[in-house]
Amino acid sequence: MFKTFRRGGVHPNPEKLTRDSEIVSVPVAGVLYLSMNQSIGAPAKPCVKAGDVVEAGQKIAEAGGFVSANVHSPVAGTVRKVETIRNAAGFWVEAVSIEPSEPGVPLPLPDKTLDNALFADAMKLEPKEITARVREAGIVGLGGAAFPTSVKLSIPEGKSADTFLLNGAECEPYLTCDDALMRRWAPQILAGALLMARAVGATRVLVGVEANKPEAIAALEKAARTMPSPVGVVRLKTKYPQGSEKQLIEAMTGRIVPAGGLPVDAHVVVDNVATAFAAYEAVCLGLPLTRRVVTVTGMEMKNRGNFLAPLGTPIESLAEAGGGLPQEGPVKVLAGGPMMGQAVAVLSAPTVKANGGVTVLAGMDILRRVEKNCIRCARCVDACPMGLQPHLIATLGKLRLAPEAKDEGIMNCLECGCCSYVCPSWRHLVDYIRIGKTLIRKELKR
């Protein structure tokens, strides 16, 4: 029996075009642009200046607060300048640009073998030391949220976690970066999970993977047999949004995170498999987070695949590695997948820690249908995994009735896109919901 959550969800075509693609390291770009906005929290503060010579892995920016993340250079090189650039969404952000000493040379792929001696030593560390090493390495949630991992590992006073869940669902269509990571580095991923579980005091470790990744499941089950502590591999039903924290917790443990609450309120901590791999490298090997696996995909991409890329690589460089953008007809580039990814407004913008995919859509796939009136079919209600009324909260958001939208639970929306996906009137439900949530957040800041 494959486990899943009990309410809502949809079954979009997976389109895992790169599921059999091995991880390949891309050539280092001529200039890397390291954004200071690498987490969901405060921007980092540069600690280098133009002309400074930096080494690979050197810290170039300090976390700007408790909810923030350090930034490190992926390569040896020279700081060109501390400047303001446009990010993928088109907003101005501060960045450190670095000219690599060896442009065009791919970064080496990490060793396939788990260093058992270093891992054994790391498992003897105090929980606070594990968290400190994770923080120093600048690790954030690599499933897309970019929440600083050290903050997640710092359980608030009066709360506790008995279960650590590793998210390997990767339910977003098109993306296979986590699948490729699990197939290649399963032992390191589970080692990172055990280290983070030790940091939060969890006695149970489970990793959940959707059923459409049999090779990854087999690799994790094999690796689990070599771990010093039990790790359970849970097979999940292929259903979107299976990888969402609250849905994953329900599917794997049967526990429900209360409305407005956090996973720790259900005595659970959840992290992505890529985050666990980064934690292993940070705690055992002393390596900061400076590169990640990115899926570059699309029906028209001739060389689509899973690429290990240094942070700060221009998105257009990754598109070139994937075979280049189609030369004819309209094209849309997404940072992420088609359900939750955001359209890229500036192709020269650099990748950041949260970027797990570059999806290129072309032709009819990019067209947005003309919106029609709601026909009260309630399909959006059936599809909502949070049990909300998307048609209602979207309308309230569109009308900018923020207090009413808040009362109807708009802040509990995942923005997963299930409602928009099933709507026969092609209403821009998620867009309107985001408007409502933005208005509420602005009101709270006053």
Side-chain angles (χ1 to χ4, degrees):
M1 291 287 294
F2 296 115
K3 294 189 175 183
T4 190
F5 51 98
R6 61 188 170 85
R7 182 166 55 191
V10 294
H11 295 85
N13 192 334
E15 299 292 5
K16 304 288 188 179
L17 308 175
T18 54
R19 60 171 296 167
D20 297 322
S21 300
E22 295 297 325
I23 298 170
V24 177
S25 189
V26 298
V28 175
V31 179
L32 298 178
Y33 297 88
L34 281 303
S35 169
M36 298 297 97
N37 293 62
Q38 294 278 358
S39 76
I40 199 172
K45 298 178 180 179
C47 55
V48 294
K49 61 183 184 303
D52 285 354
V53 177
V54 296
E55 297 298 324
Q58 180 179 329
K59 188 192 301 182
I60 61 171
E62 297 271 3
F66 180 63
V67 185
S68 185
N70 294 333
V71 181
H72 303 77
S73 175
V75 296
T78 304
V79 176
R80 193 175 72 164
K81 62 175 71 172
V82 178
E83 57 188 308
T84 303
I85 64 170
R86 289 190 184 274
N87 65 11
F91 297 111
W92 290 102
V93 296
E94 189 175 27
V96 174
S97 56
I98 296 176
E99 294 182 356
S101 300
E102 296 183 289
V105 178
L107 297 178
L109 289 174
D111 196 332
K112 277 189 175 183
T113 306
L114 173 68
D115 192 317
N116 288 295
L118 290 178
F119 174 45
D121 289 342
M123 285 296 289
K124 299 174 185 176
L125 293 171
E126 292 296 320
K128 288 185 177 180
E129 176 60 22
I130 294 173
T131 301
R133 293 189 185 189
V134 167
R135 179 171 179 80
E136 182 61 26
I139 298 174
V140 302
L142 299 181
F147 190 82
T149 303
S150 61
V151 179
K152 186 176 284 191
L153 298 182
S154 303
I155 303 296
E157 192 73 28
K159 296 184 183 294
S160 64
D162 58 26
T163 302
F164 184 86
L165 298 186
L166 202 53
N167 185 354
E170 196 168 47
C171 57
E172 179 77 33
Y174 282 90
L175 303 191
T176 61
C177 52
D178 286 350
D179 186 5
L181 198 75
M182 289 184 285
R183 286 188 279 115
R184 186 180 181 94
W185 290 301
Q188 289 89 332
I189 290 170
L190 297 190
L194 287 172
L195 287 166
M196 290 194 286
R198 176 169 173 76
V200 300
T203 57
R204 180 172 62 157
V205 179
L206 302 173
V207 52
V209 188
E210 282 195 329
N212 61 357
K213 303 172 184 63
E215 295 88 355
I217 291 172
L220 290 167
E221 289 178 337
K222 179 180 178 181
R225 293 192 288 270
T226 68
M227 290 295 111
S229 301
V231 177
V233 180
V234 180
R235 302 182 182 212
L236 302 170
K237 185 176 180 179
T238 303
K239 184 169 74 166
Y240 180 86
Q242 189 73 260
S244 176
E245 272 192 340
K246 294 180 179 180
Q247 280 62 47
L248 191 73
I249 291 169
E250 181 186 348
M252 294 177 67
T253 70
R255 301 177 187 177
I256 303 296
V257 178
L262 297 172
V264 73
D265 294 317
H267 306 291
V268 176
V269 172
V270 183
D271 260 303
N272 177 265
V273 290
T275 310
F277 179 72
Y280 161 78
E281 291 200 308
V283 179
C284 295
L285 309 180
L287 298 177
L289 178 56
T290 60
R291 74 274 196 267
R292 68 158 300 155
V293 179
V294 181
T295 299
V296 181
T297 184
M299 294 292 185
E300 303 298 323
M301 301 299 284
K302 298 178 181 179
N303 193 36
R304 55 187 178 241
N306 299 301
F307 299 101
L308 183 72
L311 300 176
T313 300
I315 292 174
E316 58 191 357
S317 296
L318 283 176
E320 284 300 315
L325 299 178
Q327 297 301 304
E328 297 182 2
V331 174
K332 178 182 285 187
V333 180
L334 302 176
M339 293 299 287
M340 293 192 72
Q342 301 290 314
V344 174
V346 181
L347 286 175
S348 60
T351 57
V352 293
K353 296 175 182 180
N355 290 152
V358 175
T359 304
V360 178
L361 303 178
M364 296 296 291
D365 288 339
I366 76 167
L367 296 181
R368 205 171 193 190
R369 294 176 183 258
V370 177
E371 186 178 36
K372 297 182 180 180
N373 293 330
C374 176
I375 61 173
R376 304 294 190 271
C377 66
R379 291 184 188 178
C380 61
V381 178
D382 290 339
C384 180
M386 294 302 294
L388 303 174
Q389 298 187 67
H391 64 96
L392 175 59
I393 58 176
T395 298
L396 294 173
K398 182 179 182 180
L399 297 175
R400 287 168 167 74
L401 298 174
E404 291 84 350
K406 185 178 180 181
D407 290 342
E408 293 295 337
I410 192 172
M411 299 308 291
N412 292 326
C413 173
L414 305 174
E415 300 179 27
C416 64
C418 287
C419 54
S420 296
Y421 180 79
V422 300
C423 180
S425 294
W426 308 298
R427 294 185 68 204
H428 306 157
L429 297 168
V430 177
D431 292 346
Y432 299 141
I433 290 170
R434 285 174 178 156
I435 290 172
K437 293 172 77 171
T438 300
L439 292 172
I440 292 170
R441 292 190 184 106
K442 286 183 177 179
E443 190 64 32
L444 291 173
K445 290 180 179 179
R446 291 182 180 178

